[in-house]
């Protein structure tokens, strides 16, 4: 305990530890999914949320903090940011005693929240020991005189629980700060939201996400083919976590074949280190990324569009060739393509087709809107896509 | 006596006879040590579970096959007791939270935390983490899904999830974002034929290629269904030929009847009669969506091309209502009534 805060000693110990790790086979880091391994450790590591990070970085020196509300789509860095901020504010030793994280996996009924928050808020503020060690610690971490309560995934809290929270928040505001994190800001009741400074986390744009992915790829020794990063970003739709998971799987996929052949080679008593997949791994290509992301291949989509556009023959009024559409849809469903993915790609194909009149497009978007709602409600994918395709067909054929 | 479906289930990735590319991918992931959370989706009967069980074996070795079944009791915040079955080995656990309906969150919350907070007991285990397989993940309530989110991140050193689902549409975006999506396509008809031949040989059946082809086609690329059909055909016939009748399941016979009747007679009396049959199907636990879809496909094959899109339109409409409403029978019946109207108007030359 004496040198618990002796940073020099700890650094030395850490260095010793890390110099050992490469020799031990089961390096713990390697066992982690990359999304965790590359979770930003400091505010500076968080990419793309410049405005938010800028403001939060300032709070590191100001020793005050408002209540906060982080909102934005999945995988944009909300949880990472608050955790990084807390770590920088309090440092590793005080994190536990100063920060309470409650998320959707915790019981968050009204009374439970109140109790947990109360218990936590009432505990004495843990302090830094006096003396040189404490001073050194303080130099690295401001340790402001309040605690932070993180309510992650707050949009899954009931209205009642949120209402109760409001009073709790006020009661302890002198010594606690709340940070609410959610995807949908509209699900947070107004009285709560209005007490917080709001930070919007933007869906990650191309260049910043690319930079992060390239950084990870480099650290992991993954070779990326031309366009692969763009494909990752595009398929992940602004969700960096998804992009990283895709990258990891793609890397494993191309690395795997190498690992197998390397294993064979080893038998013949050649290169001992050939098992290091990353060093000689294959290259991640656009196609592999798309395959992993579940993107429906172009030729499959083309078949669907063809079927939709093939008019029924021998009829007075226009119509679609039912059999053709039905067959393509049946195959799509049997092949397991996700209906959401199919609707998304079909939308792009139809709406960006300049040969289709705007008048038609106006009616077609209504059909897409209906289909999307139904899918989210859990309607049958087969019927929904079949209906969607047939209706688009009828509209294009001037009917329906 | 075990059903053929279970008896000849492949046990390792190498034994799987189709989707070799996917098997390679899974093997690569299993061997890499940083196995991600998975969301495995695809039509039913495509072999998702078999494939995942094989992947677990690749991850942990034959020990995962030593399973036991526990009955557990969970308590809700309102003090309700929930009985719940868990299938597990030393390395993994398999649960079906939809068994407890809207209370699934409690189960997911308690159980996963419990697993996550205990380390792998077997020190010689190949992986540090345990795997929890969640069946019917697309039926998890939003609350239960929300409860998975942070657990999946926080406890990732000790815990990996494998979610099995028919579709990803009902899985909330934050969960999709935390998993690697693995699509399992249904086997093609040819692939089904080769499985049937393989299983048939093991069972010492007289293999008839033509019959196997017909079974594959009738099964709608559903391997489980195809194997059940194969077993039924050989159980019911001494001698099997290319043209041996493939007995359809009872419920399908009823639906065919309904279709025939409502095409022939479009009257309120007929609706009443149909209602009784629909009830019967529902009380025999045939899922309403299956009833509606099967009925729709049968009807569509009996009407003019011109009407087909209209019938599909209403079928999709009422299927959605079944999902979001509460009285299944209302919507099935409404579909029947709507169908009759479309037929009537059409036969009178009116626009429907
Ligand atoms: N802005 C970012 N900068 C760097 N890495 C990021 C960023 N956003 C996401 N990531 C990566 O994605 C992972 C998930 O991010 P995080 O947990 O912060 O998402 P979130 O916004 O809380 O999502 P959710 O709404 O699903 O909870 C991180 O571990 C990190 O690897
Ligand atoms: Mg989060």
């Amino acid at each position: 305990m004496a040198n618990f805060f002796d940073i020099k000693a700890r650094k030395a110990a850490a260095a010793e530890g890390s110099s050992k790790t490469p020799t031990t086979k089961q390096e713990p880091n390697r066992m982690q999914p990359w999304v965790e391994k590359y979770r930003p450790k400091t505010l500076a590591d968080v990419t793309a949320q410049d405005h938010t990070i800028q403001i939060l970085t300032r709070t590191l020196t100001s020793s005050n903090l408002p209540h906060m509300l982080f909102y934005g789509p999945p995988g944009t860095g909300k949880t990472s940011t608050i955790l990084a901020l807390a770590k920088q504010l309090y440092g590793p030793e005080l994190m536990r005693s100063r920060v309470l994280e409650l998320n959707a996996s915790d019981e968050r009924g009204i009374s439970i929240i109140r109790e947990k928050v109360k218990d936590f808020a009432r505990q004495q503020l843990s302090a830094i020991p006096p003396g040189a060690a404490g001073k050194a610690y303080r130099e690295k971490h401001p340790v402001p005189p309040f605690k932070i309560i993180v309510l992650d995934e707050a949009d899954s809290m009931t209205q009642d629980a949120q209402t109760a929270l409001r009073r709790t928040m006020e009661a302890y505001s002198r010594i606690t700060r709340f940070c609410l994190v959610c995807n949908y800001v509209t699900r947070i009741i107004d009285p709560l939201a209005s007490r917080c400074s709001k930070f919007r986390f933007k869906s990650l744009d191309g260049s910043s996400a690319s930079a992060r992915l390239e950084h990870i790829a480099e650290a992991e020794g993954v070779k990326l083919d031309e366009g692969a990063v763009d494909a990752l970003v595009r398929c992940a739709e602004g969700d960096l976590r998804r992009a990283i998971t895709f990258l990891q799987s793609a890397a494993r996929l191309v690395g795997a074949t190498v690992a197998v052949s390397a294993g064979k080679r080893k038998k013949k008593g050649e290169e001992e280190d050939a098992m290091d997949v990353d060093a000689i791994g294959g290259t991640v290509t656009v196609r592999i990324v798309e395959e992993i992301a579940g993107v429906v291949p172009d030729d499959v989509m083309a078949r669907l569009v063809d079927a939709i556009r093939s008019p029924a023959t021998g009829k007075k009024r226009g119509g679609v060739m039912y059999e053709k559409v039905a067959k393509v849809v049946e195959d799509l469903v049997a092949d397991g393509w996700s209906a959401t993915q199919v609707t998304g790609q079909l939308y792009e194909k139809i709406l960006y087709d300049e040969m289709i009149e705007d008048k038609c497009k106006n009616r077609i978007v209504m059909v897409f809107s209906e289909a999307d709602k139904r899918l989210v409600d859990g309607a049958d994918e087969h019927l929904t896509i079949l209906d969607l395709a047939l209706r688009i067909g009828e509209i294009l054929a001037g009917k329906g | 006596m075990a059903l053929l479906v279970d008896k000849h289930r492949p046990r390792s990735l190498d034994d799987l006879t189709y989707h070799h590319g996917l098997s390679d991918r899974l093997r690569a992931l299993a061997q890499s040590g940083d196995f991600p959370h998975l969301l495995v989706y695809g039509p039913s009967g495509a072999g998702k579970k078999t494939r995942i069980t094989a992947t677990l074996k690749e991850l942990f070795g034959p020990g995962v096959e030593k399973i036991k079944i526990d009955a557990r009791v969970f308590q809700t915040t309102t003090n309700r007791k929930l009985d719940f079955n868990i299938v597990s080995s030393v390395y993994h656990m398999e649960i079906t939270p939809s068994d407890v309906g809207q209370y699934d969150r409690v189960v997911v919350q308690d159980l996963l935390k419990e697993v996550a907070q205990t380390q792998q007991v077997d020190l010689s285990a190949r992986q540090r983490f345990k795997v929890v397989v969640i069946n019917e993940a697309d039926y998890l309530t939003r609350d239960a899904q929300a409860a998975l989110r942070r657990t999946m991140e926080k406890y990732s050193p000790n815990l990996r999830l494998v979610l099995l689902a028919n579709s990803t549409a009902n899985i909330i975006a934050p969960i999709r974002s935390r998993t690697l999506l693995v699509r399992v396509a249904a086997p093609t008809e040819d692939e089904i034929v080769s499985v049937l031949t393989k299983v048939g040989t093991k069972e010492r059946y007289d293999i008839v290629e033509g019959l196997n082809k017909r079974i594959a086609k009738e099964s709608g690329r559903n391997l489980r269904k195809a194997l059940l059909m194969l077993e039924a055909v050989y159980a019911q016939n001494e001698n099997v030929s290319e043209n041996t009748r493939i007995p359809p399941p009872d419920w399908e016979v009823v639906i065919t009847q309904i279709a025939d009747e409502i095409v022939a007679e479009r009257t309120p009396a007929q609706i009443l009669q149909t209602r009784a049959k629909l009830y019967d199907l529902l009380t025999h636990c045939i899922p309403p969506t299956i009833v509606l879809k099967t009925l729709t496909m049968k009807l569509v094959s009996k009407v003019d091309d011109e009407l087909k899109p209209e019938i599909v339109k209403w079928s999709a409409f009422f299927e959605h209502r079944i999902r979001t409403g509460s009285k299944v029978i209302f919507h099935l019946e409404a579909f029947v009534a709507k169908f009759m109207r479309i037929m009537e108007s059409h036969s009178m030359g009116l626009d429907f």
Side-chain angles (χ1 to χ4, degrees):
Chain A
M1 246 336 242
N3 65 350
F4 206 57
F5 288 103
D6 184 345
I7 296 185
K8 247 191 205 152
R10 294 186 60 225
K11 262 197 186 145
E16 207 176 282
S18 65
S19 69
K20 265 182 202 154
T21 31
T23 53
T24 48
K25 272 226 145 130
Q26 301 239 326
E27 186 186 341
N29 253 352
R30 183 170 169 89
M31 308 306 284
Q32 271 187 35
W34 292 0
V35 280
E36 289 306 323
K37 190 167 168 185
Y38 294 99
R39 187 181 281 284
K41 300 195 171 50
T42 63
L43 290 178
D45 286 343
V46 178
T47 31
Q49 312 297 351
D50 297 343
H51 182 62
T52 302
I53 298 305
Q54 203 184 354
I55 297 178
L56 292 178
T57 308
R58 241 179 271 149
T59 67
L60 286 177
T61 48
S62 77
S63 89
N64 202 3
L65 200 67
H67 294 308
M68 293 176 291
L69 173 59
F70 289 3
Y71 65 100
T76 48
K78 301 179 296 298
T79 304
S80 308
T81 301
I82 186 63
L83 293 180
L85 174 66
K87 203 176 290 163
Q88 280 180 278
L89 282 175
Y90 301 113
E93 314 304 339
L94 295 178
M95 256 300 260
R96 296 199 110 209
S97 54
R98 290 294 188 92
V99 183
L100 174 69
E101 183 192 338
L102 294 171
N103 56 67
S105 71
D106 300 301
E107 201 53 68
R108 288 195 296 194
I110 308 173
S111 56
I112 297 186
I113 285 241
R114 212 179 285 146
E115 282 310 304
K116 277 195 179 160
V117 170
K118 200 159 84 186
D119 283 352
F120 178 74
R122 277 184 175 168
Q123 285 164 24
Q124 273 262 320
L125 274 183
S126 52
I128 314 161
K135 201 170 159 232
Y137 192 82
R138 166 86 74 181
E139 260 162 33
K140 290 190 77 178
H141 306 287
V143 194
F146 48 78
K147 306 177 198 179
I148 294 185
I149 298 179
V150 180
L151 290 165
D152 205 346
E153 294 145 17
D155 35 7
S156 61
M157 283 171 68
T158 62
Q159 296 256 323
D160 287 351
Q162 290 189 35
T163 314
L165 184 63
R166 183 177 134 194
R167 255 165 282 133
T168 315
M169 230 163 124
E170 251 152 34
Y172 299 100
S173 69
R174 208 176 48 80
I175 41 163
T176 56
R177 297 291 179 275
F178 281 77
C179 179
L180 278 61
V181 182
C182 66
N183 294 126
Y184 305 101
V185 70
T186 48
R187 294 214 189 126
I188 304 296
I189 60 170
D190 217 36
L192 265 193
S194 62
R195 281 175 170 71
C196 301
S197 304
K198 296 186 199 62
F199 295 94
R200 186 168 79 92
F201 282 68
K202 291 172 299 197
S203 173
L204 263 67
D205 65 52
S207 58
S208 51
S210 305
R212 183 76 182 167
L213 289 167
E214 272 158 5
H215 163 76
I216 295 175
E218 195 182 307
E220 292 289 336
V222 183
K223 283 191 217 120
L224 293 165
D225 203 12
E226 175 105 20
V229 173
D230 291 341
L232 285 169
V233 173
R234 179 163 29 87
C235 294
E237 295 170 348
D239 178 339
L240 192 55
R241 172 170 38 219
R242 256 170 93 190
I244 295 174
T245 304
F246 290 159
L247 175 64
Q248 182 187 355
S249 318
R252 287 298 161 245
L253 187 59
V254 294
T257 48
V258 177
V260 172
S261 59
K264 277 186 198 139
R265 224 181 300 156
K266 221 165 100 179
K267 262 184 213 146
K268 290 181 199 151
E270 286 170 37
E271 290 172 72
E272 266 301 306
D273 283 334
M275 280 306 283
D276 188 359
V277 171
D278 299 334
I280 48 167
T283 305
V284 172
T285 62
V286 174
R287 216 188 53 77
I288 288 172
V289 171
E290 291 190 341
E291 186 181 314
I292 285 169
V295 175
V296 186
D298 273 345
D299 57 319
V300 179
M301 286 311 294
R303 269 182 68 207
L304 179 61
V305 174
D306 274 355
I308 288 175
R309 304 199 72 163
S310 63
T313 43
K315 283 276 159 345
K316 277 204 306 278
R317 300 180 299 171
V320 262
M321 186 84 98
Y322 177 84
E323 303 306 331
K324 232 175 148 180
V325 176
K327 175 70 181 131
V328 179
V329 172
E330 198 183 305
D331 286 347
L332 270 174
V333 172
D335 283 335
W337 296 113
S338 121
T340 330
Q341 183 72 36
V342 173
T343 13
Q345 285 182 241
L346 186 61
Y347 181 87
E348 304 256 310
K349 284 228 163 217
I350 303 268
L351 271 289
Y352 295 118
D353 185 340
E354 288 177 1
M355 304 297 285
I356 299 175
E357 280 179 71
D358 286 349
K359 209 173 68 200
C360 281
K361 286 184 185 165
N362 284 349
R363 288 169 60 207
I364 290 174
V365 289
M366 314 275 277
V367 184
F368 273 107
S369 154
E370 181 75 47
D372 177 68
K373 161 77 174 137
R374 286 183 184 171
L375 288 174
V376 170
D377 283 344
D380 184 72
E381 302 202 324
H382 189 170
L383 279 174
T384 309
I385 301 192
L386 182 58
D387 179 37
L388 172 72
L390 289 171
R391 285 215 246 170
I392 295 173
E394 300 226 293
I395 293 171
L396 291 179
K399 201 199 156 193
Chain B
M1 201 190 74
L3 290 170
L4 285 193
V5 193
D6 299 319
K7 200 166 154 194
H8 301 293
R9 192 189 290 279
R11 308 256 290 274
S12 69
L13 286 174
D14 287 327
D15 293 343
L16 296 171
T17 55
Y18 54 90
H19 300 343
H20 294 294
L22 178 54
S23 304
D24 290 345
R25 258 169 77 192
L26 290 169
R27 188 178 299 109
L29 285 175
Q31 291 176 348
S32 69
D34 46 17
F35 196 72
H37 299 295
L38 300 184
L39 169 52
V40 182
Y41 67 101
S44 73
K48 296 185 288 293
K49 187 61 161 296
T50 306
R51 197 164 284 271
I52 285 312
T53 313
T55 308
L56 289 176
K57 195 170 169 190
E58 183 74 39
L59 270 171
F60 295 106
V64 274
E65 291 177 332
K66 280 192 215 102
I67 55 166
K68 63 179 188 351
I69 301 176
D70 289 320
R72 285 274 299 265
V73 179
F74 289 90
Q75 197 158 26
T76 69
T77 40
T78 52
N79 286 332
R80 239 184 104 121
K81 294 235 171 12
L82 305 170
D83 293 313
F84 189 72
N85 285 332
I86 298 171
V87 178
S88 63
S89 73
V90 207
Y91 308 111
H92 87 294
M93 172 185 285
E94 186 188 320
I95 55 175
T96 312
S98 58
D99 282 353
V100 290
Q102 54 166 320
Y103 298 108
D104 57 355
R105 198 198 80 226
V106 185
V107 171
V108 165
Q109 226 165 41
D110 290 7
L111 209 56
L112 290 192
K113 277 203 175 158
E114 190 184 305
V115 177
Q117 284 165 353
T118 53
Q119 289 227 355
Q120 187 71 266
V121 278
D122 178 0
L123 289 177
S124 63
R126 292 196 204 160
Q127 314 293 346
R128 252 183 76 199
F129 55 82
K130 276 190 167 192
V131 172
V132 175
V133 178
I134 299 187
N135 292 319
E136 298 182 14
D138 35 356
Y139 289 95
L140 285 173
T141 58
R142 301 269 145 139
D143 271 1
Q145 293 189 41
L148 292 176
R149 292 172 60 167
R150 206 48 200 127
T151 309
M152 290 170 80
E153 297 179 335
K154 235 171 149 170
Y155 300 111
S156 71
N158 292 345
L159 173 74
R160 293 293 190 283
L161 294 187
V162 176
L163 308 173
L164 296 176
N166 284 328
S167 130
T168 56
N170 296 344
I171 309 282
I172 60 173
I175 297 290
R176 270 185 277 162
S177 153
R178 284 164 171 77
T179 51
L180 176 66
L181 273 66
V182 177
R183 178 178 60 93
V184 182
T188 62
E189 286 176 20
D190 288 345
E191 285 162 345
I192 290 187
V193 170
S194 79
V195 174
L196 294 179
T197 309
K198 204 168 166 188
V199 168
T201 314
K202 282 191 190 153
E203 287 292 311
R204 299 171 193 282
Y205 290 163
D206 277 329
I207 310 258
V208 183
E209 172 94 12
L211 177 73
N212 285 354
K213 280 193 173 148
R214 273 177 56 224
I215 293 179
K217 190 161 179 53
E218 290 254 315
S219 75
R221 292 176 62 185
N222 181 330
L223 184 54
R224 185 188 302 115
K225 202 168 163 191
L227 283 166
L228 291 171
M229 282 153 82
L230 180 77
E231 193 165 17
V233 171
Y234 280 88
Q236 292 174 12
N237 299 282
E238 287 275 314
N239 295 308
V240 169
S241 77
E242 193 159 325
N243 301 317
T244 306
R245 204 177 87 88
I246 304 167
D250 296 342
W251 58 268
E252 217 176 303
V253 177
V254 177
I255 295 178
T256 310
Q257 250 177 34
I258 297 178
D260 288 338
E261 286 168 4
I262 63 179
V263 169
E265 189 190 324
R266 281 103 55 182
T267 62
Q270 186 60 52
I271 296 188
L272 216 62
Q273 235 182 1
T274 306
R275 175 187 303 157
K277 291 209 173 85
L278 291 172
Y279 254 129
D280 207 31
L281 289 166
L282 295 177
T283 49
H284 282 88
C285 293
I286 310 299
T289 295
I290 300 281
V291 174
L292 184 60
K293 240 167 97 173
T294 315
L295 181 59
T296 306
M297 294 311 161
K298 300 224 182 276
L299 291 173
V300 162
S301 69
K302 292 173 195 296
V303 302
D304 279 355
D305 267 6
E306 227 180 309
L307 295 183
K308 290 175 181 181
E310 189 69 9
I311 291 167
V312 169
K313 175 174 149 188
W314 288 104
S315 173
F317 177 85
F318 286 114
E319 199 275 334
H320 177 225
R321 289 234 166 146
I322 287 176
R323 294 287 171 140
T324 47
S326 66
K327 292 269 188 278
V328 168
I329 192 76
F330 289 3
H331 309 296
L332 287 177
E333 213 171 50
F335 173 69
V336 170
K338 189 77 202 174
F339 171 77
M340 288 181 174
R341 259 192 86 126
I342 295 171
M343 286 288 283
E344 278 303 296
S345 314
H346 182 62
S347 66
M348 294 192 299
L350 299 173
D351 234 346
F352 20 85

